[in-house]
Amino acid sequence: MKLSTIHWRGTTAAARIEGERAIVLERFADVGDVLRAGAPSAVRAIEGPVIDRDAVDHAPLILAPSKIVCVGLNYRAHILEMKRDLPEYPVLFAKFADTLAAAGEDIALPAESPEIDWEGELAVVIGSTVRRASAEQAEDAIAGYTIANDVSMRDWQFRTREWLQGKIWERSTPLGPVLATPDEIPTDARMTTTVDGVQKQIGDIHDLVHGPVDLVRYVSTITTLRPGDVILTGTPGGVGHARDPREHLASGSAVEVTIDGIGTLRNRFVAEGS
């Protein structure tokens, strides 16, 4: 099953995606609302207005997660290109809900940062409340997966040893377009990122130092994870910052992140204020 959050009649609503149509679930404001209601499986049978999938205007998949936890240096290829050692423990940082943007949304390039980079990522969406989860509990708590682009202002990120200031720019992290339940994800699923049609990243989403279940276990040891919370699992090799010469996004750049079984997250980048 695939779920999305869309703009609908002046507000937002969750929608069930079936092929080339979207069934609007008007009683739910977003996918997070579906998960907090404990109703992900129940919405398979709910009917509502039907619109063409091409006419969908996406909102951020989860409007107000209580937590967005991000993992750095989690793909072996990316770790090597950044010239770092494999981490024994997950490298964690956080984002705020204000950072989230929608699939298809124009993302502003702030004038304060000329070094803006792409990072395609698999994102885990939590479906039930867990604390100090066992492996089985952690697996059961995963409602599904979506796509994120952890857009990074590299000059700000590396001003200090803490990355936070390069990762939390407002409306900079697109999330979507759908939540795909775990059964939708093939065992050989790959992620690719293209910039203006040129492939920049490719990676096996299962080739993580710390996989989704391990991450849910680890993070839930520290803090309670709740329905609608999101974990970004890290990015594979091919980011602009690690290229020689380095590459950065410019006004007009179009970035597509595709993961098998989920779909494609597309966004255009424009100079702020244009």
Side-chain angles (χ1 to χ4, degrees):
M1 181 174 62
K2 293 181 178 178
L3 299 172
S4 186
T5 300
I6 67 173
H7 293 287
W8 177 251
R9 295 178 177 172
T11 183
T12 61
R16 187 175 70 249
I17 306 299
E18 295 182 351
E20 297 307 311
R21 65 180 198 151
I23 297 89
V24 184
L25 309 173
E26 294 180 290
R27 58 183 280 199
F28 300 105
D30 73 325
V31 171
D33 203 15
V34 173
L35 300 176
R36 287 186 290 273
S41 58
V43 300
R44 292 179 186 269
I46 295 176
E47 295 301 326
V50 177
I51 59 176
D52 189 275
R53 187 170 182 177
D54 290 339
V56 165
D57 179 13
H58 290 284
L61 185 72
I62 309 291
L63 296 179
S66 74
K67 300 174 190 70
I68 306 167
V69 180
C70 307
V71 185
L73 303 173
N74 201 27
Y75 278 84
R76 289 170 176 83
H78 183 46
I79 295 168
L80 294 175
E81 76 174 357
M82 299 299 278
K83 298 179 174 58
R84 295 175 181 266
D85 296 326
L86 295 179
E88 180 180 1
Y89 303 107
V91 177
L92 302 181
F93 59 95
K95 288 181 180 281
F96 308 126
D98 288 344
T99 65
L100 295 181
E105 181 176 339
D106 284 354
I107 307 299
L109 298 171
E112 295 88 351
S113 177
E115 298 181 7
I116 301 175
D117 204 351
W118 59 85
E119 292 192 31
E121 304 204 14
L122 174 75
V124 177
V125 181
I126 301 299
S128 58
T129 300
V130 286
R131 180 78 200 278
R132 297 189 174 97
S134 66
E136 182 178 2
Q137 291 168 333
E139 186 171 10
D140 289 343
I142 296 174
Y145 300 91
T146 189
I147 306 171
N149 187 353
D150 179 20
V151 176
S152 300
M153 287 56 176
R154 297 297 192 191
D155 45 343
W156 288 73
Q157 178 182 350
F158 295 118
R159 285 184 171 189
T160 68
R161 286 187 288 181
E162 297 291 342
W163 296 349
L164 185 72
Q165 59 190 302
K167 298 286 191 174
I168 57 170
W169 288 70
E170 193 162 321
R171 212 76 182 182
S172 66
T173 306
L175 186 74
V178 301
L179 166 76
T181 51
D183 58 289
E184 297 275 354
I185 311 299
T187 56
D188 59 350
R190 298 179 73 79
M191 174 170 58
T192 59
T193 303
T194 66
V195 179
D196 297 327
V198 178
Q199 182 178 292
K200 300 295 186 180
Q201 294 182 281
I202 186 165
D204 177 354
I205 66 167
H206 303 292
D207 187 29
L208 299 170
V209 178
H210 306 284
V213 171
D214 288 337
L215 291 172
V216 174
R217 288 183 62 197
Y218 190 86
V219 175
S220 73
T221 301
I222 303 166
T223 186
T224 300
L225 290 172
R226 306 182 191 282
D229 286 351
V230 181
I231 300 175
L232 276 60
T233 63
T235 199
V239 298
H241 186 77
R243 293 175 177 269
D244 186 14
R246 290 177 178 172
E247 299 179 14
H248 303 110
L249 296 172
S251 187
S253 294
V255 180
E256 295 189 355
V257 185
T258 300
I259 298 180
D260 298 327
I262 302 176
T264 299
L265 175 67
R266 298 181 178 90
N267 294 92
R268 187 171 68 103
F269 290 77
V270 298
E272 192 168 33
S274 64

